[in-house]
Amino acid sequence: MNTFRKVPLPYVRIFEVAGRTLSFAAAAQELSITPSAVSHSIRKLEEMIEVKLFQRSTREVRLTREGMQLLEHIQRGIDEMQRGFALVTNEARSPLRLHSAPSFATQWLLPRLAGFVREHPDIDLQVSASTEYARFDDDFDLDIVYGDPHSSPHEFIPLAVEGLAPLCSPDMATMISTPQDLYRLPLIQCAVQRFQWKGWFEANDLVAPAHYGLRFDRSSMAIVAAVDGLGVVLESTLMAERELATGKLVRPLSGTREVEYIGHYLAYPRRSHHHEAFDTFKEWLLNQLGIADR
């Protein structure tokens, strides 16, 4: 008897989600069943096909070599079925769904999207932004996250090394000739930034001031405040690239030391088959950042 015919399709679905998330608990949440039901279904599937699909421990589950092979073929089959249903039901072309950290989306990505659209008019793109990490089930294909990635089964590519430097309007820059001038000016901070003004002063062998003028929870708002002359912002020159290029912001203390770090990562599910436009967008993004494709 054909092995596939004797396997209940719900077991195949449960295996795909568990293999994609590498977590029985996450699979249970996505499928609205209990973790024990996921574990039971996986064991029954392994017994039916007489192949061990997962290595289990008290802290994690990992796919075996056979499990990875089976997952790849099942995901390929699901992709083909989705295309088939879209074809026969005359569904609109499925867009590539991108999630991004908000300030990266508004400050860096959106100014460049016109170029991507011109180069690839046949690709539909859906962009969302929030501080939450994306869920790679039925929601998103790629995610640009801020900060060090959490422990996760997904793939992560570090994006550009960002340098934090004091930035301000041209008018305010006329009041700054040495780092000590910063003590008498309002300083703008982004509250969610990994490195604050204190870190910049310490990196330049200076004592950090006790008072700051303004705090925002988005880099985009902090940059706008600096453009409007409300103070000096400590911000990533990558995030403020457009404002620096147009002269709305300047870097008054070019001889000082930047605080450098990797602020953003590209995240996506660990699978062999993705949206048909996945590789195109990934290559474009990395090229825009001067990073070789991986």
Side-chain angles (χ1 to χ4, degrees):
M1 182 179 179
N2 184 290
T3 302
F4 175 69
R5 290 183 178 179
K6 69 179 182 181
V7 174
L9 287 179
Y11 288 4
V12 176
R13 173 60 173 155
I14 291 170
F15 167 72
E16 189 277 329
V17 179
R20 168 162 45 84
T21 61
L22 292 179
S23 166
F24 287 1
Q29 183 177 8
E30 181 175 329
L31 295 165
S32 300
I33 59 178
T34 65
S36 61
V38 172
S39 179
H40 175 75
S41 298
I42 296 298
R43 288 191 184 280
K44 292 294 291 183
L45 175 60
E46 289 175 326
E47 291 172 3
M48 285 181 177
I49 65 175
E50 298 181 351
V51 174
K52 190 173 182 62
L53 300 173
F54 286 92
Q55 294 286 351
R56 299 164 177 81
S57 70
T58 55
R59 304 182 69 176
E60 63 178 1
V61 293
R62 292 183 294 110
L63 286 164
T64 63
R65 181 176 61 85
E66 293 81 5
M68 287 187 286
Q69 289 177 333
L70 181 59
L71 180 64
E72 178 181 342
H73 285 277
I74 287 175
Q75 288 179 335
R76 189 184 306 165
I78 290 174
D79 289 342
E80 286 300 317
M81 285 189 288
Q82 288 175 337
R83 292 189 184 96
F85 278 113
L87 180 64
V88 300
T89 59
N90 295 315
E91 287 183 7
R93 182 169 46 193
S94 173
L96 180 70
R97 301 156 303 173
L98 173 67
H99 183 270
S100 174
S103 290
F104 188 93
T106 57
Q107 291 298 128
W108 189 92
L109 180 63
L110 289 181
R112 290 167 173 78
L113 272 186
F116 179 82
V117 172
R118 283 195 303 270
E119 293 173 23
H120 306 285
D122 58 325
I123 294 177
D124 294 337
L125 188 63
Q126 174 185 311
V127 182
S128 301
S130 75
T131 55
E132 301 296 325
Y133 278 19
R135 290 184 58 189
F136 298 116
D137 39 37
D138 296 325
D139 295 328
F140 297 103
D141 300 296
L142 298 125
D143 190 12
I144 298 170
V145 303
Y146 178 74
D148 291 333
H150 300 319
S151 177
S152 166
H154 306 310
E155 298 284 355
F156 289 90
I157 296 178
L159 300 181
V161 176
E162 300 180 38
L164 295 177
L167 308 175
C168 65
S169 67
D171 287 343
M172 186 162 286
T174 63
M175 296 182 277
I176 304 171
S177 57
T178 69
Q180 285 71 24
D181 292 326
L182 295 175
Y183 291 115
R184 56 185 178 82
L185 293 172
L187 302 181
I188 301 170
Q189 284 198 153
C190 179
V192 297
Q193 214 166 52
R194 289 178 57 198
F195 297 95
Q196 305 287 317
W197 270 112
K198 181 177 184 292
W200 182 88
F201 277 99
E202 291 175 350
N204 286 275
D205 301 318
L206 297 166
V207 177
H211 175 73
Y212 300 93
L214 289 167
R215 289 178 171 83
F216 296 95
D217 66 354
R218 295 285 185 276
S219 285
S220 55
M221 291 192 291
I223 289 170
V224 170
V227 169
D228 289 343
L230 298 182
V232 184
V233 67
L234 180 69
E235 190 49 72
S236 161
T237 53
L238 180 70
M239 293 295 98
E241 194 173 74
R242 177 171 49 171
E243 289 76 11
L244 289 167
T246 58
K248 292 180 179 179
L249 288 180
V250 296
R251 184 181 173 188
L253 298 169
S254 58
T256 55
R257 187 178 304 151
E258 291 186 351
V259 178
E260 293 188 337
Y261 71 113
I262 297 175
H264 293 84
Y265 292 77
L266 177 65
Y268 51 90
R270 184 180 287 119
R271 61 174 68 149
S272 299
H273 298 277
H274 296 272
H275 187 283
E276 56 191 10
F278 172 90
D279 288 328
T280 300
F281 183 85
K282 175 186 169 188
E283 181 180 3
W284 173 85
L285 176 69
L286 298 183
N287 284 340
Q288 289 289 309
L289 288 162
I291 302 170
D293 199 358
R294 308 177 185 191

